[in-house]
Amino acid sequence: MAEPINALFGTAAARDGAAGSVVALSKDEKVAIYAALDPFIHDLCGDDRLSPLAMMDLVVGALHNAFAPFFWTGFYRRIGAAELEVGPSQGTLGCSHIAFGRGVCGTVAVRQQTRIVDDVHAEPNHIACDSASRSEIVVPVFVGDRLAAVLDVDSTLPAAFSDMDQVHLEQICAKVGSALARRDLRGVIAFED
Ligand code: SME
């Protein structure tokens, strides 16, 4: 449903041109960016004045703006026994809701393990919210032992995500999960229908 609206944001040629200007980061560049982000994300996850949504919004904003190849960065929050809802996110429009088992996000919600997809166009169970996406990583977020959300990062570059991104994003999602566990999640995250 989001794809036709996303197509309005620019002509395909302009968007492909913009995507073409994004340059892949080297491993060293990524390590340096994750290291620079680490204290900021640590502090905001430890800041108990922040509401759950404000905390998640700032994590998304930090990641999205720090890495030029991140085209869409966002959480899908669990809002029932088997449903995810978009937000907070940055980038073009995401799909509003994803059922467990559908798409890469829904698969990660069921399997509760990170997935990296090097070419989303070759992934039969990928939901194309925006055709400009080429690769993605989806990382589960747990509150205690229960899945509370997934972090979804898409790139216009193929194979933009490595094991190193997985390690760092899993550390960030562990901090987010611990921070969520200390907060009132009513109206934000629900584990049952
Ligand atoms: N890539 C996801 C859909 C969400 S959008 O990419 C923002 C998936 O297949 O689960």
Side-chain angles (χ1 to χ4, degrees), residues 124-165:
N125 195 16
H126 171 253
I127 303 167
C129 298
D130 193 316
S131 59
S133 285
R134 288 294 310 279
S135 61
E136 75 177 312
I137 183 168
V138 180
V139 181
V141 177
F142 298 99
V143 167
D145 59 0
R146 295 187 294 181
L147 182 107
V150 300
L151 174 67
D152 180 10
V153 186
D154 293 13
S155 178
T156 52
L157 299 173
F161 305 100
S162 66
D163 293 350
M164 195 267 292
D165 293 290

PDB file of all heavy atoms in Angstrom, residues 124-165:
ATOM      1  N   PRO A 124      11.398 -14.016  -2.043  1.00  0.00           N
ATOM      2  CA  PRO A 124       9.961 -14.153  -2.331  1.00  0.00           C
ATOM      3  C   PRO A 124       9.069 -13.615  -1.218  1.00  0.00           C
ATOM      4  O   PRO A 124       7.983 -13.111  -1.481  1.00  0.00           O
ATOM      5  CB  PRO A 124       9.762 -15.665  -2.513  1.00  0.00           C
ATOM      6  CG  PRO A 124      11.065 -16.328  -2.219  1.00  0.00           C
ATOM      7  CD  PRO A 124      12.122 -15.284  -2.013  1.00  0.00           C
ATOM      8  N   ASN A 125       9.525 -13.697   0.018  1.00  0.00           N
ATOM      9  CA  ASN A 125       8.684 -13.253   1.132  1.00  0.00           C
ATOM     10  C   ASN A 125       9.037 -11.835   1.584  1.00  0.00           C
ATOM     11  O   ASN A 125       8.962 -11.528   2.762  1.00  0.00           O
ATOM     12  CB  ASN A 125       8.815 -14.235   2.308  1.00  0.00           C
ATOM     13  CG  ASN A 125       7.697 -14.031   3.332  1.00  0.00           C
ATOM     14  OD1 ASN A 125       6.689 -13.381   3.040  1.00  0.00           O
ATOM     15  ND2 ASN A 125       7.881 -14.550   4.532  1.00  0.00           N
ATOM     16  N   HIS A 126       9.403 -10.979   0.641  1.00  0.00           N
ATOM     17  CA  HIS A 126       9.705  -9.585   0.985  1.00  0.00           C
ATOM     18  C   HIS A 126       8.510  -8.718   0.652  1.00  0.00           C
ATOM     19  O   HIS A 126       7.896  -8.879  -0.402  1.00  0.00           O
ATOM     20  CB  HIS A 126      10.939  -9.108   0.195  1.00  0.00           C
ATOM     21  CG  HIS A 126      11.185  -7.641   0.329  1.00  0.00           C
ATOM     22  ND1 HIS A 126      10.948  -6.735  -0.691  1.00  0.00           N
ATOM     23  CD2 HIS A 126      11.626  -6.917   1.381  1.00  0.00           C
ATOM     24  CE1 HIS A 126      11.244  -5.525  -0.266  1.00  0.00           C
ATOM     25  NE2 HIS A 126      11.659  -5.600   0.973  1.00  0.00           N
ATOM     26  N   ILE A 127       8.156  -7.808   1.560  1.00  0.00           N
ATOM     27  CA  ILE A 127       7.075  -6.855   1.285  1.00  0.00           C
ATOM     28  C   ILE A 127       7.724  -5.593   0.747  1.00  0.00           C
ATOM     29  O   ILE A 127       8.517  -4.961   1.450  1.00  0.00           O
ATOM     30  CB  ILE A 127       6.288  -6.526   2.573  1.00  0.00           C
ATOM     31  CG1 ILE A 127       5.726  -7.798   3.203  1.00  0.00           C
ATOM     32  CG2 ILE A 127       5.180  -5.542   2.275  1.00  0.00           C
ATOM     33  CD1 ILE A 127       5.223  -7.593   4.629  1.00  0.00           C
ATOM     34  N   ALA A 128       7.384  -5.236  -0.483  1.00  0.00           N
ATOM     35  CA  ALA A 128       8.017  -4.071  -1.109  1.00  0.00           C
ATOM     36  C   ALA A 128       7.231  -2.811  -0.765  1.00  0.00           C
ATOM     37  O   ALA A 128       6.267  -2.464  -1.434  1.00  0.00           O
ATOM     38  CB  ALA A 128       8.089  -4.261  -2.614  1.00  0.00           C
ATOM     39  N   CYS A 129       7.632  -2.139   0.303  1.00  0.00           N
ATOM     40  CA  CYS A 129       7.004  -0.851   0.634  1.00  0.00           C
ATOM     41  C   CYS A 129       7.538   0.216  -0.314  1.00  0.00           C
ATOM     42  O   CYS A 129       6.846   1.168  -0.629  1.00  0.00           O
ATOM     43  CB  CYS A 129       7.324  -0.438   2.067  1.00  0.00           C
ATOM     44  SG  CYS A 129       6.712  -1.582   3.293  1.00  0.00           S
ATOM     45  N   ASP A 130       8.786   0.086  -0.724  1.00  0.00           N
ATOM     46  CA  ASP A 130       9.408   1.052  -1.632  1.00  0.00           C
ATOM     47  C   ASP A 130      10.362   0.290  -2.539  1.00  0.00           C
ATOM     48  O   ASP A 130      11.290  -0.358  -2.049  1.00  0.00           O
ATOM     49  CB  ASP A 130      10.162   2.109  -0.824  1.00  0.00           C
ATOM     50  CG  ASP A 130      10.554   3.295  -1.703  1.00  0.00           C
ATOM     51  OD1 ASP A 130      11.033   3.063  -2.830  1.00  0.00           O
ATOM     52  OD2 ASP A 130      10.370   4.439  -1.266  1.00  0.00           O
ATOM     53  N   SER A 131      10.134   0.391  -3.847  1.00  0.00           N
ATOM     54  CA  SER A 131      10.922  -0.412  -4.793  1.00  0.00           C
ATOM     55  C   SER A 131      12.381   0.019  -4.833  1.00  0.00           C
ATOM     56  O   SER A 131      13.222  -0.680  -5.405  1.00  0.00           O
ATOM     57  CB  SER A 131      10.312  -0.333  -6.192  1.00  0.00           C
ATOM     58  OG  SER A 131      10.294   1.020  -6.607  1.00  0.00           O
ATOM     59  N   ALA A 132      12.698   1.163  -4.228  1.00  0.00           N
ATOM     60  CA  ALA A 132      14.105   1.609  -4.216  1.00  0.00           C
ATOM     61  C   ALA A 132      14.968   0.769  -3.274  1.00  0.00           C
ATOM     62  O   ALA A 132      16.186   0.755  -3.386  1.00  0.00           O
ATOM     63  CB  ALA A 132      14.186   3.080  -3.818  1.00  0.00           C
ATOM     64  N   SER A 133      14.349   0.060  -2.338  1.00  0.00           N
ATOM     65  CA  SER A 133      15.127  -0.771  -1.402  1.00  0.00           C
ATOM     66  C   SER A 133      15.767  -1.936  -2.139  1.00  0.00           C
ATOM     67  O   SER A 133      15.141  -2.567  -2.985  1.00  0.00           O
ATOM     68  CB  SER A 133      14.221  -1.323  -0.298  1.00  0.00           C
ATOM     69  OG  SER A 133      13.919  -0.308   0.605  1.00  0.00           O
ATOM     70  N   ARG A 134      17.018  -2.230  -1.808  1.00  0.00           N
ATOM     71  CA  ARG A 134      17.721  -3.360  -2.441  1.00  0.00           C
ATOM     72  C   ARG A 134      18.146  -4.419  -1.425  1.00  0.00           C
ATOM     73  O   ARG A 134      18.262  -5.590  -1.755  1.00  0.00           O
ATOM     74  CB  ARG A 134      18.956  -2.856  -3.194  1.00  0.00           C
ATOM     75  CG  ARG A 134      18.657  -2.089  -4.460  1.00  0.00           C
ATOM     76  CD  ARG A 134      18.015  -2.956  -5.540  1.00  0.00           C
ATOM     77  NE  ARG A 134      18.737  -4.193  -5.785  1.00  0.00           N
ATOM     78  CZ  ARG A 134      19.824  -4.302  -6.556  1.00  0.00           C
ATOM     79  NH1 ARG A 134      20.300  -3.237  -7.166  1.00  0.00           N
ATOM     80  NH2 ARG A 134      20.431  -5.470  -6.717  1.00  0.00           N
ATOM     81  N   SER A 135      18.483  -3.991  -0.203  1.00  0.00           N
ATOM     82  CA  SER A 135      18.904  -4.976   0.799  1.00  0.00           C
ATOM     83  C   SER A 135      18.396  -4.511   2.156  1.00  0.00           C
ATOM     84  O   SER A 135      18.038  -3.343   2.335  1.00  0.00           O
ATOM     85  CB  SER A 135      20.426  -5.146   0.809  1.00  0.00           C
ATOM     86  OG  SER A 135      21.075  -3.939   1.130  1.00  0.00           O
ATOM     87  N   GLU A 136      18.357  -5.461   3.098  1.00  0.00           N
ATOM     88  CA  GLU A 136      17.852  -5.062   4.416  1.00  0.00           C
ATOM     89  C   GLU A 136      18.385  -5.975   5.511  1.00  0.00           C
ATOM     90  O   GLU A 136      18.851  -7.085   5.253  1.00  0.00           O
ATOM     91  CB  GLU A 136      16.325  -5.030   4.453  1.00  0.00           C
ATOM     92  CG  GLU A 136      15.650  -6.355   4.506  1.00  0.00           C
ATOM     93  CD  GLU A 136      14.130  -6.215   4.627  1.00  0.00           C
ATOM     94  OE1 GLU A 136      13.655  -5.440   5.465  1.00  0.00           O
ATOM     95  OE2 GLU A 136      13.424  -6.913   3.884  1.00  0.00           O
ATOM     96  N   ILE A 137      18.308  -5.442   6.736  1.00  0.00           N
ATOM     97  CA  ILE A 137      18.582  -6.237   7.933  1.00  0.00           C
ATOM     98  C   ILE A 137      17.418  -6.011   8.889  1.00  0.00           C
ATOM     99  O   ILE A 137      16.932  -4.883   9.023  1.00  0.00           O
ATOM    100  CB  ILE A 137      19.943  -5.863   8.574  1.00  0.00           C
ATOM    101  CG1 ILE A 137      20.233  -6.756   9.787  1.00  0.00           C
ATOM    102  CG2 ILE A 137      20.007  -4.403   8.950  1.00  0.00           C
ATOM    103  CD1 ILE A 137      21.683  -6.651  10.289  1.00  0.00           C
ATOM    104  N   VAL A 138      16.960  -7.077   9.499  1.00  0.00           N
ATOM    105  CA  VAL A 138      15.871  -6.983  10.482  1.00  0.00           C
ATOM    106  C   VAL A 138      16.337  -7.671  11.762  1.00  0.00           C
ATOM    107  O   VAL A 138      16.767  -8.833  11.738  1.00  0.00           O
ATOM    108  CB  VAL A 138      14.573  -7.621   9.948  1.00  0.00           C
ATOM    109  CG1 VAL A 138      13.471  -7.500  10.989  1.00  0.00           C
ATOM    110  CG2 VAL A 138      14.140  -6.959   8.645  1.00  0.00           C
ATOM    111  N   VAL A 139      16.246  -6.938  12.871  1.00  0.00           N
ATOM    112  CA  VAL A 139      16.781  -7.398  14.162  1.00  0.00           C
ATOM    113  C   VAL A 139      15.645  -7.419  15.186  1.00  0.00           C
ATOM    114  O   VAL A 139      14.925  -6.428  15.331  1.00  0.00           O
ATOM    115  CB  VAL A 139      17.890  -6.429  14.651  1.00  0.00           C
ATOM    116  CG1 VAL A 139      18.482  -6.901  15.974  1.00  0.00           C
ATOM    117  CG2 VAL A 139      18.976  -6.276  13.598  1.00  0.00           C
ATOM    118  N   PRO A 140      15.464  -8.529  15.901  1.00  0.00           N
ATOM    119  CA  PRO A 140      14.403  -8.560  16.918  1.00  0.00           C
ATOM    120  C   PRO A 140      14.771  -7.751  18.163  1.00  0.00           C
ATOM    121  O   PRO A 140      15.946  -7.642  18.521  1.00  0.00           O
ATOM    122  CB  PRO A 140      14.283 -10.053  17.253  1.00  0.00           C
ATOM    123  CG  PRO A 140      15.603 -10.648  16.902  1.00  0.00           C
ATOM    124  CD  PRO A 140      16.197  -9.803  15.804  1.00  0.00           C
ATOM    125  N   VAL A 141      13.731  -7.215  18.812  1.00  0.00           N
ATOM    126  CA  VAL A 141      13.883  -6.506  20.096  1.00  0.00           C
ATOM    127  C   VAL A 141      13.056  -7.268  21.122  1.00  0.00           C
ATOM    128  O   VAL A 141      11.864  -7.512  20.894  1.00  0.00           O
ATOM    129  CB  VAL A 141      13.361  -5.050  19.997  1.00  0.00           C
ATOM    130  CG1 VAL A 141      13.465  -4.351  21.347  1.00  0.00           C
ATOM    131  CG2 VAL A 141      14.089  -4.281  18.910  1.00  0.00           C
ATOM    132  N   PHE A 142      13.678  -7.627  22.228  1.00  0.00           N
ATOM    133  CA  PHE A 142      12.990  -8.415  23.252  1.00  0.00           C
ATOM    134  C   PHE A 142      12.798  -7.599  24.522  1.00  0.00           C
ATOM    135  O   PHE A 142      13.677  -6.836  24.933  1.00  0.00           O
ATOM    136  CB  PHE A 142      13.801  -9.666  23.607  1.00  0.00           C
ATOM    137  CG  PHE A 142      13.990 -10.601  22.441  1.00  0.00           C
ATOM    138  CD1 PHE A 142      15.173 -10.591  21.711  1.00  0.00           C
ATOM    139  CD2 PHE A 142      12.979 -11.474  22.069  1.00  0.00           C
ATOM    140  CE1 PHE A 142      15.339 -11.447  20.631  1.00  0.00           C
ATOM    141  CE2 PHE A 142      13.141 -12.332  20.989  1.00  0.00           C
ATOM    142  CZ  PHE A 142      14.329 -12.315  20.269  1.00  0.00           C
ATOM    143  N   VAL A 143      11.630  -7.789  25.136  1.00  0.00           N
ATOM    144  CA  VAL A 143      11.409  -7.318  26.504  1.00  0.00           C
ATOM    145  C   VAL A 143      11.310  -8.582  27.350  1.00  0.00           C
ATOM    146  O   VAL A 143      10.361  -9.359  27.185  1.00  0.00           O
ATOM    147  CB  VAL A 143      10.138  -6.459  26.596  1.00  0.00           C
ATOM    148  CG1 VAL A 143       9.736  -6.251  28.049  1.00  0.00           C
ATOM    149  CG2 VAL A 143      10.356  -5.107  25.910  1.00  0.00           C
ATOM    150  N   GLY A 144      12.321  -8.809  28.162  1.00  0.00           N
ATOM    151  CA  GLY A 144      12.427 -10.114  28.813  1.00  0.00           C
ATOM    152  C   GLY A 144      12.659 -11.159  27.725  1.00  0.00           C
ATOM    153  O   GLY A 144      13.521 -10.991  26.871  1.00  0.00           O
ATOM    154  N   ASP A 145      11.832 -12.203  27.727  1.00  0.00           N
ATOM    155  CA  ASP A 145      11.992 -13.218  26.680  1.00  0.00           C
ATOM    156  C   ASP A 145      10.906 -13.099  25.615  1.00  0.00           C
ATOM    157  O   ASP A 145      10.723 -13.997  24.809  1.00  0.00           O
ATOM    158  CB  ASP A 145      12.016 -14.630  27.290  1.00  0.00           C
ATOM    159  CG  ASP A 145      10.740 -14.928  28.066  1.00  0.00           C
ATOM    160  OD1 ASP A 145       9.849 -14.042  28.136  1.00  0.00           O
ATOM    161  OD2 ASP A 145      10.631 -16.045  28.597  1.00  0.00           O
ATOM    162  N   ARG A 146      10.177 -11.966  25.597  1.00  0.00           N
ATOM    163  CA  ARG A 146       9.089 -11.802  24.625  1.00  0.00           C
ATOM    164  C   ARG A 146       9.458 -10.817  23.524  1.00  0.00           C
ATOM    165  O   ARG A 146      10.022  -9.742  23.799  1.00  0.00           O
ATOM    166  CB  ARG A 146       7.824 -11.312  25.330  1.00  0.00           C
ATOM    167  CG  ARG A 146       7.283 -12.339  26.317  1.00  0.00           C
ATOM    168  CD  ARG A 146       5.957 -11.917  26.884  1.00  0.00           C
ATOM    169  NE  ARG A 146       6.053 -10.716  27.711  1.00  0.00           N
ATOM    170  CZ  ARG A 146       5.038 -10.148  28.338  1.00  0.00           C
ATOM    171  NH1 ARG A 146       3.831 -10.655  28.221  1.00  0.00           N
ATOM    172  NH2 ARG A 146       5.210  -9.079  29.082  1.00  0.00           N
ATOM    173  N   LEU A 147       9.114 -11.168  22.285  1.00  0.00           N
ATOM    174  CA  LEU A 147       9.378 -10.254  21.184  1.00  0.00           C
ATOM    175  C   LEU A 147       8.500  -9.011  21.321  1.00  0.00           C
ATOM    176  O   LEU A 147       7.276  -9.117  21.431  1.00  0.00           O
ATOM    177  CB  LEU A 147       9.077 -10.919  19.833  1.00  0.00           C
ATOM    178  CG  LEU A 147       9.422  -9.946  18.705  1.00  0.00           C
ATOM    179  CD1 LEU A 147      10.684 -10.358  17.989  1.00  0.00           C
ATOM    180  CD2 LEU A 147       8.263  -9.741  17.754  1.00  0.00           C
ATOM    181  N   ALA A 148       9.126  -7.832  21.328  1.00  0.00           N
ATOM    182  CA  ALA A 148       8.394  -6.583  21.505  1.00  0.00           C
ATOM    183  C   ALA A 148       8.373  -5.730  20.242  1.00  0.00           C
ATOM    184  O   ALA A 148       7.491  -4.882  20.076  1.00  0.00           O
ATOM    185  CB  ALA A 148       9.020  -5.771  22.644  1.00  0.00           C
ATOM    186  N   ALA A 149       9.347  -5.933  19.362  1.00  0.00           N
ATOM    187  CA  ALA A 149       9.459  -5.111  18.152  1.00  0.00           C
ATOM    188  C   ALA A 149      10.526  -5.730  17.267  1.00  0.00           C
ATOM    189  O   ALA A 149      11.236  -6.655  17.689  1.00  0.00           O
ATOM    190  CB  ALA A 149       9.866  -3.679  18.520  1.00  0.00           C
ATOM    191  N   VAL A 150      10.615  -5.230  16.039  1.00  0.00           N
ATOM    192  CA  VAL A 150      11.797  -5.517  15.217  1.00  0.00           C
ATOM    193  C   VAL A 150      12.332  -4.179  14.728  1.00  0.00           C
ATOM    194  O   VAL A 150      11.574  -3.235  14.518  1.00  0.00           O
ATOM    195  CB  VAL A 150      11.498  -6.457  14.020  1.00  0.00           C
ATOM    196  CG1 VAL A 150      10.960  -7.797  14.503  1.00  0.00           C
ATOM    197  CG2 VAL A 150      10.545  -5.813  13.019  1.00  0.00           C
ATOM    198  N   LEU A 151      13.649  -4.121  14.575  1.00  0.00           N
ATOM    199  CA  LEU A 151      14.284  -2.961  13.929  1.00  0.00           C
ATOM    200  C   LEU A 151      14.548  -3.368  12.491  1.00  0.00           C
ATOM    201  O   LEU A 151      15.203  -4.384  12.237  1.00  0.00           O
ATOM    202  CB  LEU A 151      15.608  -2.616  14.621  1.00  0.00           C
ATOM    203  CG  LEU A 151      16.422  -1.506  13.938  1.00  0.00           C
ATOM    204  CD1 LEU A 151      15.717  -0.156  14.030  1.00  0.00           C
ATOM    205  CD2 LEU A 151      17.831  -1.406  14.542  1.00  0.00           C
ATOM    206  N   ASP A 152      14.034  -2.569  11.548  1.00  0.00           N
ATOM    207  CA  ASP A 152      14.182  -2.859  10.116  1.00  0.00           C
ATOM    208  C   ASP A 152      15.015  -1.742   9.497  1.00  0.00           C
ATOM    209  O   ASP A 152      14.680  -0.565   9.655  1.00  0.00           O
ATOM    210  CB  ASP A 152      12.786  -2.910   9.479  1.00  0.00           C
ATOM    211  CG  ASP A 152      12.819  -3.200   7.983  1.00  0.00           C
ATOM    212  OD1 ASP A 152      13.894  -3.559   7.448  1.00  0.00           O
ATOM    213  OD2 ASP A 152      11.756  -3.075   7.353  1.00  0.00           O
ATOM    214  N   VAL A 153      16.121  -2.091   8.843  1.00  0.00           N
ATOM    215  CA  VAL A 153      16.915  -1.091   8.125  1.00  0.00           C
ATOM    216  C   VAL A 153      17.041  -1.545   6.681  1.00  0.00           C
ATOM    217  O   VAL A 153      17.448  -2.672   6.410  1.00  0.00           O
ATOM    218  CB  VAL A 153      18.327  -0.912   8.728  1.00  0.00           C
ATOM    219  CG1 VAL A 153      19.036   0.238   8.025  1.00  0.00           C
ATOM    220  CG2 VAL A 153      18.262  -0.659  10.227  1.00  0.00           C
ATOM    221  N   ASP A 154      16.655  -0.644   5.760  1.00  0.00           N
ATOM    222  CA  ASP A 154      16.732  -0.937   4.326  1.00  0.00           C
ATOM    223  C   ASP A 154      17.764  -0.023   3.696  1.00  0.00           C
ATOM    224  O   ASP A 154      17.950   1.123   4.134  1.00  0.00           O
ATOM    225  CB  ASP A 154      15.383  -0.655   3.644  1.00  0.00           C
ATOM    226  CG  ASP A 154      14.289  -1.602   4.088  1.00  0.00           C
ATOM    227  OD1 ASP A 154      14.495  -2.316   5.083  1.00  0.00           O
ATOM    228  OD2 ASP A 154      13.238  -1.611   3.441  1.00  0.00           O
ATOM    229  N   SER A 155      18.404  -0.518   2.633  1.00  0.00           N
ATOM    230  CA  SER A 155      19.358   0.289   1.888  1.00  0.00           C
ATOM    231  C   SER A 155      19.050   0.215   0.406  1.00  0.00           C
ATOM    232  O   SER A 155      18.538  -0.805  -0.079  1.00  0.00           O
ATOM    233  CB  SER A 155      20.790  -0.204   2.134  1.00  0.00           C
ATOM    234  OG  SER A 155      21.706   0.557   1.374  1.00  0.00           O
ATOM    235  N   THR A 156      19.370   1.283  -0.326  1.00  0.00           N
ATOM    236  CA  THR A 156      19.247   1.238  -1.778  1.00  0.00           C
ATOM    237  C   THR A 156      20.425   0.487  -2.395  1.00  0.00           C
ATOM    238  O   THR A 156      20.409   0.198  -3.588  1.00  0.00           O
ATOM    239  CB  THR A 156      19.193   2.660  -2.366  1.00  0.00           C
ATOM    240  OG1 THR A 156      20.305   3.395  -1.854  1.00  0.00           O
ATOM    241  CG2 THR A 156      17.901   3.357  -1.993  1.00  0.00           C
ATOM    242  N   LEU A 157      21.431   0.177  -1.590  1.00  0.00           N
ATOM    243  CA  LEU A 157      22.592  -0.572  -2.079  1.00  0.00           C
ATOM    244  C   LEU A 157      22.349  -2.070  -1.884  1.00  0.00           C
ATOM    245  O   LEU A 157      21.826  -2.473  -0.849  1.00  0.00           O
ATOM    246  CB  LEU A 157      23.855  -0.186  -1.297  1.00  0.00           C
ATOM    247  CG  LEU A 157      24.284   1.269  -1.378  1.00  0.00           C
ATOM    248  CD1 LEU A 157      25.442   1.519  -0.413  1.00  0.00           C
ATOM    249  CD2 LEU A 157      24.693   1.618  -2.805  1.00  0.00           C
ATOM    250  N   PRO A 158      22.762  -2.900  -2.845  1.00  0.00           N
ATOM    251  CA  PRO A 158      22.674  -4.341  -2.609  1.00  0.00           C
ATOM    252  C   PRO A 158      23.692  -4.766  -1.556  1.00  0.00           C
ATOM    253  O   PRO A 158      24.759  -4.151  -1.439  1.00  0.00           O
ATOM    254  CB  PRO A 158      23.012  -4.948  -3.984  1.00  0.00           C
ATOM    255  CG  PRO A 158      23.765  -3.877  -4.707  1.00  0.00           C
ATOM    256  CD  PRO A 158      23.307  -2.555  -4.161  1.00  0.00           C
ATOM    257  N   ALA A 159      23.345  -5.777  -0.791  1.00  0.00           N
ATOM    258  CA  ALA A 159      24.268  -6.373   0.193  1.00  0.00           C
ATOM    259  C   ALA A 159      24.947  -5.315   1.069  1.00  0.00           C
ATOM    260  O   ALA A 159      26.157  -5.345   1.293  1.00  0.00           O
ATOM    261  CB  ALA A 159      25.324  -7.210  -0.527  1.00  0.00           C
ATOM    262  N   ALA A 160      24.132  -4.374   1.569  1.00  0.00           N
ATOM    263  CA  ALA A 160      24.703  -3.275   2.363  1.00  0.00           C
ATOM    264  C   ALA A 160      25.029  -3.691   3.795  1.00  0.00           C
ATOM    265  O   ALA A 160      25.736  -2.971   4.499  1.00  0.00           O
ATOM    266  CB  ALA A 160      23.733  -2.098   2.382  1.00  0.00           C
ATOM    267  N   PHE A 161      24.526  -4.852   4.237  1.00  0.00           N
ATOM    268  CA  PHE A 161      24.643  -5.210   5.660  1.00  0.00           C
ATOM    269  C   PHE A 161      25.470  -6.480   5.841  1.00  0.00           C
ATOM    270  O   PHE A 161      25.333  -7.440   5.075  1.00  0.00           O
ATOM    271  CB  PHE A 161      23.245  -5.378   6.264  1.00  0.00           C
ATOM    272  CG  PHE A 161      22.386  -4.162   6.066  1.00  0.00           C
ATOM    273  CD1 PHE A 161      21.431  -4.135   5.055  1.00  0.00           C
ATOM    274  CD2 PHE A 161      22.575  -3.034   6.837  1.00  0.00           C
ATOM    275  CE1 PHE A 161      20.664  -2.999   4.828  1.00  0.00           C
ATOM    276  CE2 PHE A 161      21.816  -1.888   6.620  1.00  0.00           C
ATOM    277  CZ  PHE A 161      20.854  -1.875   5.620  1.00  0.00           C
ATOM    278  N   SER A 162      26.305  -6.451   6.858  1.00  0.00           N
ATOM    279  CA  SER A 162      27.230  -7.560   7.108  1.00  0.00           C
ATOM    280  C   SER A 162      27.008  -8.092   8.529  1.00  0.00           C
ATOM    281  O   SER A 162      26.222  -7.551   9.315  1.00  0.00           O
ATOM    282  CB  SER A 162      28.667  -7.057   6.987  1.00  0.00           C
ATOM    283  OG  SER A 162      28.904  -6.135   8.044  1.00  0.00           O
ATOM    284  N   ASP A 163      27.783  -9.125   8.858  1.00  0.00           N
ATOM    285  CA  ASP A 163      27.762  -9.659  10.223  1.00  0.00           C
ATOM    286  C   ASP A 163      28.114  -8.573  11.239  1.00  0.00           C
ATOM    287  O   ASP A 163      27.641  -8.576  12.366  1.00  0.00           O
ATOM    288  CB  ASP A 163      28.777 -10.801  10.368  1.00  0.00           C
ATOM    289  CG  ASP A 163      28.370 -12.002   9.532  1.00  0.00           C
ATOM    290  OD1 ASP A 163      27.242 -12.001   9.011  1.00  0.00           O
ATOM    291  OD2 ASP A 163      29.196 -12.922   9.413  1.00  0.00           O
ATOM    292  N   MET A 164      28.979  -7.653  10.827  1.00  0.00           N
ATOM    293  CA  MET A 164      29.391  -6.583  11.731  1.00  0.00           C
ATOM    294  C   MET A 164      28.202  -5.662  12.063  1.00  0.00           C
ATOM    295  O   MET A 164      28.014  -5.286  13.223  1.00  0.00           O
ATOM    296  CB  MET A 164      30.517  -5.781  11.056  1.00  0.00           C
ATOM    297  CG  MET A 164      31.275  -4.878  11.980  1.00  0.00           C
ATOM    298  SD  MET A 164      30.575  -3.268  11.963  1.00  0.00           S
ATOM    299  CE  MET A 164      31.012  -2.782  10.300  1.00  0.00           C
ATOM    300  N   ASP A 165      27.377  -5.341  11.048  1.00  0.00           N
ATOM    301  CA  ASP A 165      26.161  -4.565  11.335  1.00  0.00           C
ATOM    302  C   ASP A 165      25.261  -5.356  12.280  1.00  0.00           C
ATOM    303  O   ASP A 165      24.670  -4.786  13.201  1.00  0.00           O
ATOM    304  CB  ASP A 165      25.391  -4.281  10.041  1.00  0.00           C
ATOM    305  CG  ASP A 165      26.147  -3.358   9.121  1.00  0.00           C
ATOM    306  OD1 ASP A 165      26.271  -2.174   9.458  1.00  0.00           O
ATOM    307  OD2 ASP A 165      26.639  -3.829   8.077  1.00  0.00           O
TER     308      ASP A 165
END
